[in-house]
Amino acid sequence: MRISLNNSSTGRLLAFMAERGITNPTHGLNVLITEAALLNLIPETADKDGNDTRNYKQAA
C-alpha cells in the first residue's frame, strides 16, 4: 500500500514518531492506528462508503 500525506499530517506523524523513538513510518502508522483504536477513536463499523455514522464535533 502506498499513501500520501499532506504537510500537516507529515509533520504530525514525524513528531509522533520522534516522541516514541520510532524511525520506520510504517511502524509509526501501526502504533498510531492501534492507539487510536484502543481509545475508540476509530469506529469498528462504517457504512458501505466507509463513512463513520457517529456524530463528531469539530476539534477546537
Side-chain angles (χ1 to χ4, degrees):
M1 174 187 294
R2 182 173 274 202
I3 63 168
S4 297
L5 301 175
N6 62 31
N7 289 338
S8 176
S9 294
T10 299
R12 289 177 179 175
L13 177 61
L14 291 173
F16 174 86
M17 289 170 50
E19 181 71 25
R20 288 159 179 77
I22 299 170
T23 58
N24 181 311
T26 300
H27 179 66
L29 287 171
N30 284 328
V31 172
L32 182 63
I33 291 167
T34 299
E35 288 185 8
L38 291 173
L39 293 172
N40 200 27
L41 300 175
I42 300 175
E44 290 187 31
T45 59
D47 69 17
K48 67 183 178 77
D49 297 317
N51 298 313
D52 180 7
T53 56
R54 297 181 292 180
N55 293 320
Y56 290 100
K57 292 183 180 177
Q58 179 68 32

